[in-house]
Amino acid sequence: MFRSRIVSLMIAAGMVTLLSSVAYGQRFEVGAGGGASLYNAKTLTTTSGDISAKFKPGYSFSGFVGQIGGRLGGEVRYSYMSNQMELAGLGKSYTMGGRSQAIHYDVHIYANKNKEAKFRPYFLVGGGMKQFTGTGSAVALQPLGNLAVLTNTSQWKPIVTAGGGVRVALSPHMQLRGEVRGYFNEMPTDVITPVTGSLGGWIFNIVPTVSISYVW
């Protein structure tokens, strides 16, 4: 059901942008950028005590192609995030390498409908899919392994995206973009796996990014 809603959101977003393109005309862009990747921590409550399960702060980079409209626009974006995974608590901790990658479509809603303006703030919302992967070597006996384990498996999760940013026109064909995007999805429990208790619920991945794009 949740995946169906995400797919519906993406289709609706594409239709809105297409209609905007037909009605108002569009400029197009292709670009790339990089920044940080930050997650909230989850708490696993067990009879032995609480432990923290999280993705540690890391880095990200992305590439995108999109349309720039008057009031509406949109883009397809691929994002890569590198974040180590960590379990910590009860005087013990264990860390393993981790990464994620996402493909999604975002609708942009502009505060200024003038496509030629030098500064253009915007909000964004969209959806897609995200893959979480543990990249460390498998260890048979992990600290805290009786409560939770980090695995070198992969798991896909549907995501919702939301955020905002600003465009700065450097020239008629070059633009600088600064934005903060949030990725929201259910906890990937195949990758960070509770042995006892539950790690259900959502996690939030906040990704501040600076990008450069070519516009035509």
Side-chain angles (χ1 to χ4, degrees):
M1 179 63 72
F2 185 77
R3 293 189 180 188
S4 297
R5 291 176 180 175
I6 292 294
V7 172
S8 297
L9 175 63
M10 295 177 66
I11 293 173
M15 291 179 64
V16 168
T17 304
L18 178 60
L19 290 174
S20 175
S21 175
V22 172
Y24 302 106
Q26 295 272 339
R27 301 182 72 188
F28 298 88
E29 72 173 336
V30 61
S37 176
L38 309 170
Y39 282 86
N40 67 310
K42 299 287 288 183
T43 298
L44 176 62
T45 300
T46 74
T47 55
S48 301
D50 292 347
I51 64 173
S52 171
K54 66 181 180 180
F55 295 90
K56 300 177 70 173
Y59 64 88
S60 69
F61 62 83
S62 60
F64 55 90
V65 58
Q67 300 167 303
I68 306 171
R71 189 63 71 181
L72 294 174
E75 68 184 18
V76 175
R77 178 179 288 257
Y78 167 81
S79 297
Y80 175 95
M81 285 73 70
S82 177
N83 298 85
Q84 288 187 315
M85 305 183 294
E86 182 182 67
L87 296 172
L90 307 178
K92 303 176 183 179
S93 65
Y94 182 67
T95 300
M96 177 185 285
R99 68 169 184 260
S100 61
Q101 53 185 340
I103 181 73
H104 51 97
Y105 184 89
D106 296 331
V107 173
H108 293 178
I109 305 169
Y110 292 99
N112 181 351
K113 66 180 181 179
N114 179 7
K115 295 190 292 292
E116 308 301 325
K118 184 174 179 62
F119 297 95
R120 297 194 73 196
Y122 58 91
F123 299 99
L124 63 91
V125 63
M129 296 294 292
K130 186 174 183 179
Q131 182 193 46
F132 294 85
T133 303
T135 60
S137 300
V139 176
L141 297 176
Q142 298 181 13
L144 302 170
N146 62 317
L147 304 176
V149 294
L150 304 180
T151 74
N152 57 358
T153 59
S154 293
Q155 184 176 12
W156 285 93
K157 284 290 186 180
I159 56 172
V160 173
T161 60
V166 62
R167 294 178 175 274
V168 181
L170 303 178
S171 73
H173 294 290
M174 297 298 296
Q175 294 196 0
L176 179 69
R177 289 172 52 177
E179 61 191 16
V180 177
R181 176 181 282 100
Y183 295 90
F184 307 93
N185 59 267
E186 293 178 313
M187 186 70 180
T189 53
D190 288 354
V191 181
I192 301 180
T193 305
V195 176
T196 181
S198 173
L199 274 177
W202 288 57
I203 58 170
F204 316 129
N205 181 199
I206 306 303
V207 181
T209 304
V210 175
S211 306
I212 192 79
S213 65
Y214 177 79
V215 178
W216 70 96

Short mmCIF file of all heavy atoms in Angstrom, two decimals, residues 184-207:
data_model
loop_
_atom_site.label_atom_id
_atom_site.label_comp_id
_atom_site.label_asym_id
_atom_site.label_seq_id
_atom_site.Cartn_x
_atom_site.Cartn_y
_atom_site.Cartn_z
N PHE A 184 12.55 10.67 3.83
CA PHE A 184 11.78 10.08 4.92
C PHE A 184 11.34 8.68 4.51
O PHE A 184 10.70 8.51 3.47
CB PHE A 184 10.56 10.95 5.23
CG PHE A 184 10.90 12.40 5.49
CD1 PHE A 184 10.86 13.33 4.46
CD2 PHE A 184 11.27 12.81 6.75
CE1 PHE A 184 11.19 14.66 4.68
CE2 PHE A 184 11.59 14.14 6.99
CZ PHE A 184 11.56 15.06 5.96
N ASN A 185 11.69 7.69 5.33
CA ASN A 185 11.32 6.30 5.00
C ASN A 185 11.30 5.44 6.27
O ASN A 185 11.80 5.84 7.33
CB ASN A 185 12.31 5.70 4.00
CG ASN A 185 13.73 5.68 4.50
OD1 ASN A 185 14.48 6.63 4.23
ND2 ASN A 185 14.12 4.64 5.21
N GLU A 186 10.72 4.26 6.13
CA GLU A 186 10.71 3.32 7.24
C GLU A 186 12.12 2.77 7.48
O GLU A 186 12.94 2.71 6.57
CB GLU A 186 9.75 2.17 6.93
CG GLU A 186 8.29 2.59 6.87
CD GLU A 186 7.39 1.42 6.51
OE1 GLU A 186 7.73 0.68 5.55
OE2 GLU A 186 6.37 1.24 7.19
N MET A 187 12.38 2.39 8.72
CA MET A 187 13.69 1.87 9.10
C MET A 187 14.04 0.62 8.28
O MET A 187 13.22 -0.31 8.17
CB MET A 187 13.69 1.53 10.59
CG MET A 187 15.03 1.12 11.14
SD MET A 187 16.18 2.51 11.20
CE MET A 187 17.63 1.70 11.87
N PRO A 188 15.26 0.55 7.69
CA PRO A 188 15.67 -0.65 6.94
C PRO A 188 16.17 -1.74 7.89
O PRO A 188 17.38 -1.91 8.11
CB PRO A 188 16.80 -0.12 6.04
CG PRO A 188 17.40 1.00 6.84
CD PRO A 188 16.27 1.63 7.60
N THR A 189 15.26 -2.51 8.43
CA THR A 189 15.60 -3.48 9.46
C THR A 189 16.29 -4.74 8.93
O THR A 189 16.71 -5.59 9.72
CB THR A 189 14.35 -3.87 10.26
OG1 THR A 189 13.32 -4.29 9.36
CG2 THR A 189 13.84 -2.69 11.08
N ASP A 190 16.42 -4.89 7.61
CA ASP A 190 17.25 -5.97 7.07
C ASP A 190 18.73 -5.61 7.17
O ASP A 190 19.58 -6.50 7.14
CB ASP A 190 16.90 -6.25 5.60
CG ASP A 190 15.56 -6.93 5.44
OD1 ASP A 190 14.95 -7.28 6.46
OD2 ASP A 190 15.11 -7.08 4.28
N VAL A 191 19.04 -4.32 7.26
CA VAL A 191 20.42 -3.85 7.29
C VAL A 191 20.88 -3.61 8.74
O VAL A 191 21.96 -4.00 9.13
CB VAL A 191 20.58 -2.57 6.45
CG1 VAL A 191 22.02 -2.07 6.47
CG2 VAL A 191 20.14 -2.83 5.01
N ILE A 192 20.04 -2.92 9.52
CA ILE A 192 20.24 -2.81 10.97
C ILE A 192 19.13 -3.63 11.61
O ILE A 192 17.98 -3.20 11.66
CB ILE A 192 20.19 -1.35 11.45
CG1 ILE A 192 21.28 -0.53 10.74
CG2 ILE A 192 20.38 -1.27 12.96
CD1 ILE A 192 21.30 0.94 11.15
N THR A 193 19.46 -4.82 12.05
CA THR A 193 18.45 -5.83 12.40
C THR A 193 18.35 -6.04 13.91
O THR A 193 19.33 -6.44 14.55
CB THR A 193 18.79 -7.18 11.74
OG1 THR A 193 18.94 -6.98 10.33
CG2 THR A 193 17.69 -8.19 12.00
N PRO A 194 17.19 -5.77 14.49
CA PRO A 194 17.02 -6.05 15.91
C PRO A 194 16.87 -7.56 16.15
O PRO A 194 16.17 -8.24 15.40
CB PRO A 194 15.74 -5.30 16.27
CG PRO A 194 14.98 -5.23 15.00
CD PRO A 194 16.00 -5.14 13.89
N VAL A 195 17.55 -8.07 17.16
CA VAL A 195 17.39 -9.47 17.57
C VAL A 195 16.27 -9.59 18.58
O VAL A 195 15.50 -10.55 18.59
CB VAL A 195 18.71 -10.02 18.14
CG1 VAL A 195 18.53 -11.44 18.67
CG2 VAL A 195 19.80 -9.97 17.08
N THR A 196 16.16 -8.59 19.41
CA THR A 196 15.07 -8.50 20.39
C THR A 196 14.54 -7.08 20.39
O THR A 196 15.28 -6.14 20.10
CB THR A 196 15.56 -8.90 21.80
OG1 THR A 196 14.46 -8.84 22.71
CG2 THR A 196 16.65 -7.97 22.29
N GLY A 197 13.27 -6.90 20.68
CA GLY A 197 12.69 -5.57 20.62
C GLY A 197 12.35 -5.17 19.19
O GLY A 197 12.35 -5.99 18.27
N SER A 198 12.10 -3.89 18.99
CA SER A 198 11.66 -3.40 17.69
C SER A 198 12.37 -2.11 17.32
O SER A 198 12.62 -1.24 18.15
CB SER A 198 10.14 -3.14 17.70
OG SER A 198 9.71 -2.53 16.51
N LEU A 199 12.73 -1.99 16.02
CA LEU A 199 13.27 -0.75 15.46
C LEU A 199 12.33 -0.22 14.39
O LEU A 199 12.76 0.37 13.40
CB LEU A 199 14.65 -1.00 14.86
CG LEU A 199 15.85 -0.92 15.81
CD1 LEU A 199 17.13 -1.27 15.07
CD2 LEU A 199 15.96 0.46 16.44
N GLY A 200 11.05 -0.43 14.58
CA GLY A 200 10.07 0.04 13.60
C GLY A 200 9.98 1.55 13.59
O GLY A 200 10.60 2.25 14.39
N GLY A 201 9.20 2.08 12.68
CA GLY A 201 9.04 3.52 12.56
C GLY A 201 9.90 4.10 11.45
O GLY A 201 10.53 3.38 10.67
N TRP A 202 9.94 5.42 11.39
CA TRP A 202 10.58 6.14 10.29
C TRP A 202 11.93 6.70 10.71
O TRP A 202 12.16 7.00 11.89
CB TRP A 202 9.68 7.29 9.83
CG TRP A 202 8.47 6.82 9.08
CD1 TRP A 202 7.51 5.96 9.53
CD2 TRP A 202 8.09 7.20 7.76
NE1 TRP A 202 6.54 5.77 8.57
CE2 TRP A 202 6.87 6.53 7.47
CE3 TRP A 202 8.64 8.03 6.80
CZ2 TRP A 202 6.22 6.67 6.26
CZ3 TRP A 202 7.99 8.18 5.59
CH2 TRP A 202 6.79 7.49 5.33
N ILE A 203 12.82 6.85 9.73
CA ILE A 203 14.07 7.58 9.93
C ILE A 203 14.11 8.75 8.95
O ILE A 203 13.48 8.72 7.89
CB ILE A 203 15.31 6.69 9.76
CG1 ILE A 203 15.35 6.05 8.37
CG2 ILE A 203 15.37 5.65 10.85
CD1 ILE A 203 16.67 5.35 8.08
N PHE A 204 14.86 9.77 9.32
CA PHE A 204 14.95 11.00 8.54
C PHE A 204 16.40 11.22 8.13
O PHE A 204 17.29 11.25 8.98
CB PHE A 204 14.43 12.19 9.33
CG PHE A 204 13.16 11.93 10.08
CD1 PHE A 204 13.07 12.24 11.42
CD2 PHE A 204 12.07 11.36 9.45
CE1 PHE A 204 11.90 12.00 12.13
CE2 PHE A 204 10.90 11.11 10.14
CZ PHE A 204 10.82 11.42 11.49
N ASN A 205 16.63 11.38 6.85
CA ASN A 205 17.95 11.65 6.30
C ASN A 205 17.95 13.09 5.77
O ASN A 205 17.28 13.38 4.78
CB ASN A 205 18.26 10.65 5.19
CG ASN A 205 19.62 10.82 4.55
OD1 ASN A 205 19.86 10.33 3.45
ND2 ASN A 205 20.56 11.49 5.21
N ILE A 206 18.66 13.99 6.44
CA ILE A 206 18.71 15.40 6.04
C ILE A 206 19.99 15.61 5.23
O ILE A 206 21.09 15.31 5.70
CB ILE A 206 18.68 16.32 7.26
CG1 ILE A 206 17.46 16.00 8.13
CG2 ILE A 206 18.66 17.78 6.81
CD1 ILE A 206 16.13 16.10 7.42
N VAL A 207 19.82 16.14 4.00
CA VAL A 207 20.94 16.27 3.07
C VAL A 207 21.04 17.71 2.56
O VAL A 207 20.33 18.10 1.63
CB VAL A 207 20.76 15.29 1.88
CG1 VAL A 207 21.95 15.39 0.92
CG2 VAL A 207 20.61 13.86 2.37
#
